[in-house]
Amino acid sequence: MVGFELGSVPFNSDGWGPPDSSVSVPNKISNAPFAPFSRSDKLGRIADWTRSISNRPGSNSKQNISDSAFDFSGDDSFATLNADEDSSFRLVDTAAKSHHHGQHRPKFNPRWRFNPHHNRSQLPQRRDEEVEAKKREQEKERARRDRLYNLNRSGTNAGQRRESAVFKSSVDIQPEWNMLDQIPFSTFSKLSFSVPEPEDLLICGGLEFYDRSYDRITPKNERRLERFKNRNFFKITTTDDPVIRRLANEDKATVFATDTILSTLMCAPRSVYSWDIVVQRVGNKLFFDKRDGSQLDLLSVHETSQEPLPDVKDDINSAYSLSVEAAYINQNFSQQVLIRDGKKLSYDEPNPFATEGEEVASVGYRYRRWKLDDDTYLVARCEVQSVVEVNNQRSFLTLNALNEFDPKYSGVDWRQKLETQRGAVLATELKNNANKLAKWTAQALLANADMMKLGYVSRVHPRDHFNHVILAVVGYKPKDFATQINLNTSNMWGIVKSIVDLCMKLNEGKYVLVKDPTKPQVRIYEVPPDAFENDYVEEPLPEEEQVQPPTEDAQGAEANAAANEVEEKEISTEAA
């Protein structure tokens, strides 16, 4: 039988471990700190007797187990360990916990720490709830990924909306507002109402003629997008419009709105981002308004796409930066494609918002009246941007620009595809910007425009959001285009009619209709009469002015001026 020999075990009468004299380890390293040297080493102290746990002020006599000598969760020398792996290990604790805020557990002497730079204050002890919450979040994330995966496989991703943390409410819901109703978009799809042909009450403003040479632009023979710093664009809300006030005083109708507001309601089921409309009940009348600096003045970009945009406000491709960029591309495009030789169509009245001698954009305001029922008429201010004459026939045009910011996001490079596969480019735009295109179509239908011209405008370079080129301009008949994008006019009016009926039942006062930032539904809140009056609105462009291309400064300054046209602070005060 093999003999088993036990080596000599020295006895230490003075304390733990072998006595100093007996240790004969070759190449012994003295005073090595006993702490993990790599993430995988689960080495640690057995116990910390230096921790003072009994004489803490306010400490519980039934001592916390987590405060025991065997607990190292508060010790910094372990920061190198993978905290996530440890989160699943818990001491069973039946005592009621009492957390002493603002008090740090004693640490080991700093020179014993493996990493001398770990002098940051300790993290609070991880609690079970946090672990559970984290697990729930991971579950949610997994479910979301599965849903997206299945969606993309079944090819029915049009109906579903991507979820993202970037969606915030367009208006701060105050705690004292009273929520009256919640309407899911699913109820909108069934609505239908056939509205008789409207009548024109009045046309104001002046229109310049469309320059038909723009129809011949191709990507190979592109044109630079110019800037119109001196032309003023007005985005006046319903109740600040002097013509609408006059029509209301003359009792021409009971409901008043603008084409922007009506199109937002008509296309609500396609919207993903939050928006809000202020509703005012005054006497027997109903006014739909937008707030100063409201989202409705900007143009959403990539709103209905499955690929979320970067959620960083300073990024030139964030939803906010892009919407500002799109708004000013749209304005500049609408003025560039005109013949600027002074030949102009003038109407019954000049532009109601312009002051004497001010250079204004080419725009015709048509105040049109629709009959919703025997007692209810709706008047809306509708806009057309230009006019064209073919065979002595004059046609009204609306002018809008689609913008390409980075082919990486859309997956379609316009410069390559616009020549040969224009259908594919439009199909991608209809998928990623369904709401914006539907709203433009609704506005063209409301204004009874004969043609809607869509400009394809792209950045000169994907990282430069100040310089753009026009690659093509395509015209569509609004009715045909509506059919193509599945926009049903009787459904659009059904939505407007149901919201008007709902708001007419409200008492006199002020309300706000808000699209829920994450769910497909709108909510109606009752708000105090002075809400939004002196609301300071963050000017739409502070970041834009900082993020400038590193080229010429003058060019940046020019772009700011052009971008500032998006704002209409001073205009609304003039109108008021």
Side-chain angles (χ1 to χ4, degrees):
M1 194 178 140
V2 180
F4 175 69
E5 196 170 311
L6 185 67
S8 68
V9 181
F11 174 69
N12 184 352
S13 53
D14 304 328
W16 287 16
D20 286 347
S21 57
S22 69
V23 180
S24 56
V25 181
N27 313 327
K28 179 182 136 195
I29 304 164
S30 57
N31 297 332
F34 189 66
F37 280 76
S38 86
R39 289 177 65 120
S40 55
D41 296 347
K42 286 283 191 189
L43 305 171
R45 300 172 195 77
I46 294 169
D48 174 10
W49 304 111
T50 62
R51 179 169 296 173
S52 57
I53 53 176
S54 52
N55 53 4
R56 280 237 205 102
S59 75
N60 203 330
S61 56
K62 267 176 131 180
Q63 202 29 260
N64 230 337
I65 294 191
S66 64
D67 275 347
S68 77
F70 297 95
D71 174 50
F72 287 91
S73 55
D75 183 10
D76 259 357
S77 48
F78 283 56
T80 44
L81 288 181
N82 188 341
D84 285 342
E85 284 175 41
D86 288 345
S87 63
S88 47
F89 293 97
R90 299 295 305 150
L91 286 167
V92 178
D93 176 10
T94 50
K97 290 198 177 180
S98 64
H99 289 279
H100 304 290
H101 292 295
Q103 286 181 346
H104 295 301
R105 298 212 176 79
K107 299 173 186 163
F108 276 104
N109 188 331
R111 74 189 165 79
W112 277 105
R113 285 232 196 90
F114 170 53
N115 183 346
H117 304 297
H118 269 315
N119 271 349
R120 61 203 171 87
S121 60
Q122 287 141 279
L123 295 168
Q125 162 142 13
R126 186 191 296 277
R127 299 202 200 126
D128 281 331
E129 305 91 81
E130 287 171 10
V131 179
E132 285 305 311
K134 203 164 180 180
K135 271 191 194 151
R136 278 200 302 275
E137 279 304 315
Q138 284 165 343
E139 272 302 307
K140 257 200 205 143
E141 179 61 23
R142 199 174 296 117
R144 192 184 73 85
R145 276 204 304 270
D146 290 353
R147 204 162 54 240
L148 269 178
Y149 174 67
N150 293 333
L151 264 173
N152 290 339
R153 286 182 64 203
S154 58
T156 55
N157 40 12
Q160 275 286 345
R161 305 296 188 209
R162 66 177 196 272
E163 293 169 41
S164 163
V166 299
F167 296 161
K168 299 179 190 68
S169 179
S170 61
V171 61
D172 286 334
I173 309 291
Q174 300 302 321
E176 66 272 16
W177 293 3
N178 176 18
M179 193 180 85
L180 303 178
D181 209 349
Q182 205 158 269
I183 313 159
F185 286 162
S186 50
T187 59
F188 283 169
S189 54
K190 307 175 188 69
L191 299 170
S192 178
F193 179 70
S194 57
V195 66
E197 273 301 299
E199 52 183 318
D200 273 344
L201 298 181
L202 186 69
I203 304 186
C204 303
L207 290 173
E208 290 173 38
F209 284 82
Y210 174 70
D211 179 351
R212 289 166 65 192
S213 70
Y214 279 87
D215 291 342
R216 296 192 288 278
I217 289 184
T218 62
K220 288 191 179 60
N221 133 45
E222 59 187 33
R223 283 203 210 174
R224 267 317 260 269
L225 182 71
E226 297 169 34
R227 302 205 176 101
F228 294 84
K229 298 198 290 290
N230 306 328
R231 291 207 159 188
N232 284 328
F233 298 83
F234 303 100
K235 298 190 182 328
I236 306 297
T237 182
T238 317
T239 45
D240 290 345
D241 181 333
V243 179
I244 284 192
R245 288 186 168 184
R246 191 169 80 216
L247 296 171
N249 287 337
E250 294 167 5
D251 274 335
K252 291 278 196 243
T254 42
V255 187
F256 298 88
T258 65
D259 55 352
T260 312
I261 291 169
L262 283 183
S263 65
T264 303
L265 289 174
M266 291 172 158
C267 307
R270 296 176 192 234
S271 63
V272 178
Y273 297 159
S274 176
W275 46 264
D276 60 278
I277 292 169
V278 179
V279 178
Q280 306 204 56
R281 282 277 293 108
V282 186
N284 65 337
K285 294 189 173 56
L286 180 62
F287 294 90
F288 289 106
D289 275 299
K290 67 174 184 59
R291 290 178 302 107
D292 250 4
S294 149
Q295 238 99 337
L296 303 187
D297 293 336
L298 301 175
L299 294 172
S300 70
V301 177
H302 236 58
E303 178 176 0
T304 52
S305 124
Q306 289 290 328
E307 285 301 309
L309 294 166
D311 186 12
V312 187
K313 220 178 173 189
D314 295 341
D315 193 309
I316 62 169
N317 292 338
S318 73
Y320 178 78
S321 303
L322 282 172
S323 64
V324 175
E325 182 186 350
Y328 97 76
I329 288 174
N330 206 51
Q331 289 183 351
N332 289 331
F333 170 78
S334 74
Q335 301 311 296
Q336 182 171 345
V337 297
L338 306 172
I339 302 169
R340 283 161 277 169
D341 63 353
K343 185 183 177 190
K344 218 172 175 183
L345 264 191
S346 293
Y347 287 104
D348 323 344
E349 294 185 18
N351 188 316
F353 315 121
T355 52
E356 205 57 46
E358 180 178 19
E359 192 185 338
V360 294
S362 159
V363 66
Y365 297 113
R366 303 179 76 172
Y367 290 87
R368 312 185 80 209
R369 178 166 70 177
W370 286 265
K371 182 179 179 178
L372 295 184
D373 60 42
D374 290 343
D375 324 317
T376 316
Y377 284 85
L378 178 145
V379 163
R381 178 186 81 225
C382 306
E383 286 183 31
V384 285
Q385 279 85 36
S386 175
V387 63
V388 70
E389 204 163 280
V390 185
N391 310 334
N392 293 335
Q393 284 262 249
R394 278 188 184 153
S395 305
F396 284 124
L397 305 180
T398 59
L399 304 170
N400 288 301
L402 290 164
N403 60 310
E404 176 182 53
F405 55 101
D406 192 338
K408 272 211 308 281
Y409 283 93
S410 57
V412 176
D413 188 339
W414 288 7
R415 283 169 176 78
Q416 291 168 8
K417 297 283 168 77
L418 268 172
E419 295 269 23
T420 51
Q421 295 170 274
R422 189 178 287 157
V425 173
L426 184 62
T428 308
E429 284 303 296
L430 283 169
K431 188 180 87 201
N432 294 338
N433 293 296
N435 190 32
K436 177 166 69 177
L437 278 154
K439 277 159 77 170
W440 285 344
T441 313
Q443 284 168 15
L445 290 166
L446 286 169
N448 197 22
D450 303 280
M451 256 324 215
M452 48 191 288
K453 292 274 184 192
L454 288 183
Y456 289 86
V457 177
S458 179
R459 288 181 185 168
V460 172
H461 182 274
R463 296 304 302 164
D464 172 3
H465 63 311
F466 283 128
N467 296 292
H468 302 86
V469 286
I470 305 173
L471 301 176
V473 180
V474 190
Y476 300 95
K477 286 197 166 71
K479 285 197 175 79
D480 301 349
F481 198 70
T483 314
Q484 189 180 337
I485 66 171
N486 202 7
L487 188 67
N488 175 339
T489 40
S490 58
N491 174 243
M492 292 182 349
W493 280 104
I495 295 172
V496 170
K497 177 90 166 70
S498 73
I499 286 183
V500 166
D501 291 348
L502 184 75
C503 295
M504 281 305 240
K505 294 197 184 84
L506 300 171
N507 301 326
E508 282 196 53
K510 197 182 253 188
Y511 304 86
V512 65
L513 194 69
V514 185
K515 150 79 173 75
D516 188 301
T518 50
K519 300 190 186 71
Q521 61 180 20
V522 286
R523 298 189 169 138
I524 298 182
Y525 293 91
E526 186 175 8
V527 300
D530 59 350
F532 321 121
E533 287 299 331
N534 41 14
D535 212 359
Y536 168 70
V537 181
E538 178 191 351
E539 296 295 323
L541 271 183
E543 300 93 343
E544 286 303 290
E545 286 159 12
Q546 292 153 24
V547 191
Q548 286 176 15
T551 54
E552 320 126 54
D553 292 340
Q555 168 191 309
E558 247 187 272
N560 294 341
N564 283 336
E565 289 165 1
V566 175
E567 304 171 28
E568 27 45 279
K569 263 301 200 218
E570 63 290 346
I571 300 159
S572 48
T573 48
E574 272 170 36

